[in-house]
C-alpha cells in the first residue's frame, strides 16, 4: 500500500572525523522516502528551490518515488550544516537556512489524499496538522517531532499528537515531551496524549516499542565504523513505516509480529544509512542485502 | 560447579526519590554471591568488622553461601553512602569509609583454591592479582573494575587483565579503559588486553557480549519503577557467572548459546535487584520467579 511522507527536502553540509561534505542531498523526507522505497510505493510532499537540480530529483525518481508533491519555488533550498563530535554521537548545528522552507504550506495533490499510510516527518506541528486535515480516511498516520517544537509550540504539537497513530522519536525528545526520565513511563505518558504506539530511538542503544500490554526492544547493530549519522533516524522511520505499509494486508502475522519486524527493518535501514556519507549507501541497496542484515539482527539477539 | 567471589562486604546508606535507608547490608561480593547462589554453590572471600552482626551473616548463610572466607577483624565494616538523582541513573557518593577494608589482604582458605570458577569483584587490581595467584587451575576467571583503578593503577590493572577470561564492566568504564567511544571498538580493544570475552553493561540500555566473531545484545527490562539501583551491576555479574558455573558441564548447548543464556540470567538478577532497597528482593526469590522473568526477556526481544 502506498505511503506518503511530508517533510524537508534539503541540502546538508556535514563534518565528521571521517571527512567533510559541503553540499549533499538530505532532509527528513528524502532519507525517509529512499529507505521506505525498498518496501512500498512512496510519495513525497515537500518544497525545493531553484538550486535543486535534475540530478537531485533523479535520486528519488530512480528509487521509483513519486515526486509530484515536491513543489519548486523561487529561492534556495533548505540548507543545514552540522559537525559531529569524535564520538559520532553528539552534534553541533553550524548553520540552518530555512530559505524556501520558511513559507512552506504543504498542499497534497488530489490523488495523494487517499494514501492509506502517512508519515509526518519532523516539521512544524501546525504544518503536520494541515496535512492531517487534507487526508481522506488514512489507515495509519505516523509522525516525528523534535525538541524545538516540544519547547516552543506545545499546544500545536498536542493537537497534532491527538491525530497520530504512531509517534517515532528519540529518547531525549521522549523525556522532554513526557517529563519522565524512565522510558517505559515516558512511553505510557506519551500514549495518553494520543498515539497508540510509541517508538523510541536510542541511537547506538537501539529502539523500543511501547504499546498497551506490549513492549519490544531491538538493539542497534554494533558497527565499528560509523561514517555519518545524518539521516539515521529518518531512515529508521522509513524502513519502519515502509514495512508496515507493505505488510498491511498480510494475514500471515499478528499485529505484534508485524510491529516487531517493522522495528527491525527500521533498524536495518538506519544501520545502512550511517555506513557512508548522506544517501550514498542507502540509495544503492539490494533486497538481498536488506534481508541479510535482517538476519544479522536475529543473530545478534537470539537466545533459547 | 562452585564459584568463588572476592570483593567487598559492606554497609550502605542510600537515598533515592523512593526513600532513604541509613544502614543496610551491601558490597559487591554480597550482591554477587546472593544473585549467584540461585545457580551454583558460592564461596565468599572478604573482610568485615566487629559491627557485622550474626543477622547480616545469616543473609548469606540462608542462601547456602559459604562464608568461611569472610575474615572478621577489629574495627568497623566498610561503609558507603550515596544519593541517586531523580532520574535514578546518576548517583553521587556522599561518603566512603574503607575501615577494615583499608588493610584487607585476601587469603583463600585452602579448599577454596580449587574453585573452578572465580569472580574478582571490583577491588584494587593488586588485590585481585593476589587472589589470582592463590588459585589452583581455575577453569574461568571473571572480573570487574572501576574508573578509580583505570585512572590511578593502570599497570596493576593491566597485569590483572592478562589473567582474566571475562571482564564485566559498564559502558563508561569500557570507554575509559579502551579510549574508544564506540562500544564495538572498545570491546575489541579490551580483548587485546587479555580477556577473551568482554561484557559491557549499559544500565537501562541492557548488556552486550563481545567475543571473537561473536556479538550478543540483551536489553534491560523496561521497569517503570526502579527503587534502588545499588548492586544491580554486581547482581548481574552474579547471575551471569552463576549460570556459567552451573552449566559448565552441560553438553546440550554450544558455548555461544550458554554465554547468551548467562547474559540473560544476569539481566534477570539485575532487574530483581533494583525492584526493592538493597538485597530485599534478591534474597527472597524462587526458581520459578527467575524462570518467569527469563521468559519475559524472551518475549521482549523475540521476532521472526
Amino acid at each position: 500500500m502506498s505511503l506518503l511522507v511530508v517533510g524537508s527536502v534539503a541540502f546538508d553540509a556535514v563534518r565528521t572525523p571521517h571527512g567533510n561534505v559541503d553540499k549533499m542531498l538530505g532532509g527528513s523526507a528524502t532519507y525517509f522516502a529512499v529507505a521506505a522505497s525498498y518496501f512500498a510505493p512512496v510519495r513525497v510532499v515537500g518544497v525545493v528551490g531553484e538550486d535543486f537540480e535534475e540530478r537531485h530529483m533523479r535520486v528519488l525518481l530512480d528509487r521509483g518515488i513519486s515526486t509530484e508533491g515536491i513543489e519548486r519555488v523561487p529561492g534556495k533550498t533548505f540548507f543545514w550544516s552540522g559537525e559531529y563530535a569524535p564520538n559520532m554521537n553528539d552534534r553541533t548545528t553550524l548553520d540552518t537556512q530555512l530559505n524556501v522552507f520558511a513559507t512552506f504550506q504543504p498542499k497534497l495533490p488530489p490523488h495523494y489524499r487517499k494514501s492509506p499510510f502517512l508519515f509526518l516527518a519532523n516539521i512544524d506541528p501546525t504544518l503536520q496538522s494541515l496535512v492531517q486535515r487534507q487526508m481522506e480516511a488514512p489507515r495509519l498516520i505516523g509522525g516525528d517531532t523534535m525538541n524545538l517544537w516540544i519547547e516552543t509550540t506545545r499546544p500545536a504539537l498536542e493537537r497534532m499528537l491527538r491525530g497520530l497513530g504512531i509517534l517515532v522519536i528519540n529518547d531525549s525528545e521522549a523525556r522532554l515531551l513526557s517529563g519522565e526520565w524512565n522510558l517505559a513511563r515516558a512511553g505510557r505518558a506519551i500514549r495518553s496524549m494520543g498515539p497508540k504506539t510509541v517508538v523510541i530511538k536510542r541511537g547506538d542503544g537501539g529502539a523500543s516499542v511501547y504499546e498497551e500490554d506490549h513492549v519490544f526492544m531491538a538493539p542497534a547493530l554494533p558497527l565499528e565504523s560509523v561514517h555519518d549519522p545524518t539521516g539515521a533516524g529518518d531512515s529508521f522511520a522509513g524502513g519502519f513505516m515502509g514495512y508496515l505499509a507493505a505488510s498491511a494486508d498480510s494475514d500471515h502475522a499478528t499485529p505484534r509480529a508485524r510491529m516487531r519486524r517493522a522495528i527491525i527493518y527500521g533498524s536495518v535501514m538506519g544501520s545502512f544509512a550511517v555506513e557512508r556519507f548522506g544517501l550514498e549507501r542507502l540509495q544503492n541497496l539490494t533486497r538481498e542485502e536488506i534481508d541479510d542484515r535482517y538476519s544479522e539482527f536475529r543473530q545478534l539477539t537470539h537466545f533459547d
Side-chain angles (χ1 to χ4, degrees), chain A:
Chain A
M1 291 196 168
S2 62
L3 168 59
L4 172 63
V5 59
V6 182
S8 60
V9 179
F11 291 126
D12 292 339
V14 173
R15 293 167 178 270
T16 85
H18 294 278
N20 306 326
V21 174
D22 286 340
K23 185 183 176 184
M24 63 186 184
L25 180 58
S28 58
T30 311
Y31 279 102
F32 181 98
V34 172
S37 70
Y38 290 93
F39 301 91
V42 181
R43 301 156 167 178
V44 181
V45 167
V47 64
V48 297
E50 292 152 321
D51 55 350
F52 201 83
E53 297 168 41
E54 180 59 25
R55 65 190 170 102
H56 299 124
M57 204 63 94
R58 267 277 133 234
V59 172
L60 299 174
L61 293 169
D62 283 351
R63 287 293 321 142
I65 296 163
S66 163
T67 59
E68 239 177 285
I70 302 181
E71 273 182 274
R72 183 191 294 269
V73 302
K76 290 177 77 179
T77 301
F78 178 44
F79 176 77
W80 176 83
S81 165
E83 178 164 13
Y84 289 86
N87 67 25
M88 298 300 276
N89 212 44
D90 303 321
R91 78 176 182 195
T92 311
T93 291
L94 301 173
D95 193 7
T96 305
Q97 299 171 17
L98 287 179
N99 298 331
V100 296
F101 209 74
T103 54
F104 178 47
Q105 291 282 315
K107 281 175 291 293
L108 274 49
H111 67 285
Y112 276 27
R113 298 180 186 193
K114 291 196 167 70
S115 303
F117 287 78
L118 168 66
F119 190 75
L120 302 163
N122 170 32
I123 53 174
D124 185 331
T126 307
L127 300 186
Q128 290 177 317
S129 292
L130 193 63
V131 173
Q132 277 171 323
R133 287 199 297 272
Q134 294 176 56
M135 296 293 288
E136 294 169 15
R139 285 174 61 143
L140 181 66
I141 304 182
D144 189 2
T145 190
M146 71 183 291
N147 295 8
L148 175 66
W149 314 120
I150 299 171
E151 285 167 342
T152 64
T153 62
R154 180 103 193 183
L157 179 60
E158 287 180 357
R159 274 192 299 278
M160 188 280 285
L161 286 175
R162 282 197 286 275
L164 214 60
I166 302 182
L167 182 66
V168 182
I169 52 177
N170 72 34
D171 47 359
S172 67
E173 292 157 355
R175 287 176 174 136
L176 186 65
L177 178 58
S178 65
E180 295 277 3
W181 195 89
N182 178 301
L183 292 178
R185 294 168 78 99
R188 180 181 301 279
I190 295 169
R191 286 198 297 107
S192 75
M193 300 176 194
K196 278 175 63 180
T197 303
V198 177
V199 176
I200 301 181
K201 300 171 289 180
R202 307 182 75 179
D204 72 341
S208 319
V209 175
Y210 299 91
E211 295 182 301
E212 191 176 1
D213 302 324
H214 178 220
V215 183
F216 173 61
M217 302 216 150
L221 204 68
L223 294 168
E224 288 199 26
S225 182
V226 169
H227 270 77
D228 174 13
T230 311
D234 300 311
S235 304
F236 173 95
F240 171 72
M241 288 291 296
Y243 178 79
L244 286 180
S247 65
D249 285 334
S250 156
D251 46 11
H252 300 300
T254 63
R256 284 188 187 183
R258 280 181 57 230
M259 183 58 68
R260 288 168 175 231
R261 286 181 203 157
I263 289 293
I264 300 297
Y265 277 115
S267 306
V268 163
M269 301 314 281
S271 76
F272 281 124
V274 304
E275 283 187 352
R276 297 275 183 285
F277 277 91
L279 291 154
E280 194 182 334
R281 184 77 179 98
L282 213 56
Q283 68 188 94
N284 292 303
L285 289 169
T286 64
R287 185 67 208 199
E288 196 186 356
E289 287 174 315
I290 293 171
D291 289 337
D292 283 352
R293 188 149 294 183
Y294 187 96
S295 301
E296 270 189 69
F297 272 89
R298 200 180 346 233
Q299 276 302 314
L300 197 60
T301 59
H302 179 81
F303 63 93
D304 55 19

